[in-house]
Amino acid sequence: MRLAACAALALLLPVAAHAEASLTLTDGFVRSSNPKSGAAFMVIGNEGDSECRLTAVLSEAAERAELHTHLEEDGVMKMVGIDGGIAIPAGQTHRLERGGDHVMLLGLHQPLAEGQTVPLSLDFGDCGMVEAELPVQNRNDAGHGH
Ligand SMILES: [Cu+2]
């Protein structure tokens, strides 16, 4: 079992994984109200001189991770995939929050319990990869402002 886990890890983690100094991740957490899926929220800051774009996310905790946002359609909030990634202009921050943009974790290998951490590899394309380890906070309502 242990060997299999290691092999999976090696496949999922990009080789040149290195956090770029110009990108910051703060207030990150994962919330899961369902044993099969969860969502990651955080504030991404870009202190560099050029735009960075979050194009993809990988997590060994789930079969796949997708960039989602919420759109209102006929008065109903719907979750839709984001095409083309999430741009963070130079000198700006972008908040992934409930009811807005988020990283959707689909096909969790095991339910996420309070107190666990979830590893994420965030691919910012030319700006590089950022590795994060986010705490599971299933009762965190941060950003749920309507
Ligand atoms: Cu979603």
Side-chain angles (χ1 to χ4, degrees):
M1 290 309 279
R2 204 168 185 90
L3 262 179
C6 285
L9 190 74
L11 278 177
L12 285 172
L13 287 178
V15 182
H18 192 270
E20 287 289 309
S22 64
L23 288 163
T24 59
L25 288 189
T26 47
D27 293 342
F29 68 95
V30 173
R31 198 174 187 282
S32 173
S33 51
N34 166 320
K36 280 286 164 204
S37 64
F41 307 98
M42 69 203 78
V43 178
I44 303 166
N46 179 4
E47 294 168 357
D49 296 330
S50 51
E51 178 185 279
C52 289
R53 188 174 286 270
L54 176 60
T55 56
V57 179
L58 290 172
S59 177
E60 65 194 67
E63 274 164 32
R64 62 187 197 279
E66 296 180 355
L67 298 173
H68 280 185
T69 193
H70 281 92
L71 287 182
E72 194 176 324
E73 209 170 86
D74 301 324
V76 179
M77 291 298 274
K78 291 179 79 175
M79 220 163 49
V80 295
I82 296 176
D83 285 331
I86 298 172
I88 302 106
Q92 307 264 305
T93 58
H94 187 91
R95 183 176 286 270
L96 306 191
E97 61 189 351
R98 295 187 67 202
D101 298 347
H102 55 278
V103 175
M104 195 81 200
L105 301 172
L106 296 164
L108 292 174
H109 298 312
Q110 53 184 49
L112 298 179
E114 200 77 15
Q116 273 184 287
T117 58
V118 176
L120 294 181
S121 300
L122 297 107
D123 187 346
F124 285 92
D126 292 344
C127 291
M129 299 289 303
V130 173
E131 303 294 326
E133 188 91 23
L134 302 184
V136 176
Q137 296 176 0
N138 288 334
R139 293 182 292 274
N140 189 332
D141 278 335
H144 194 237
H146 287 290

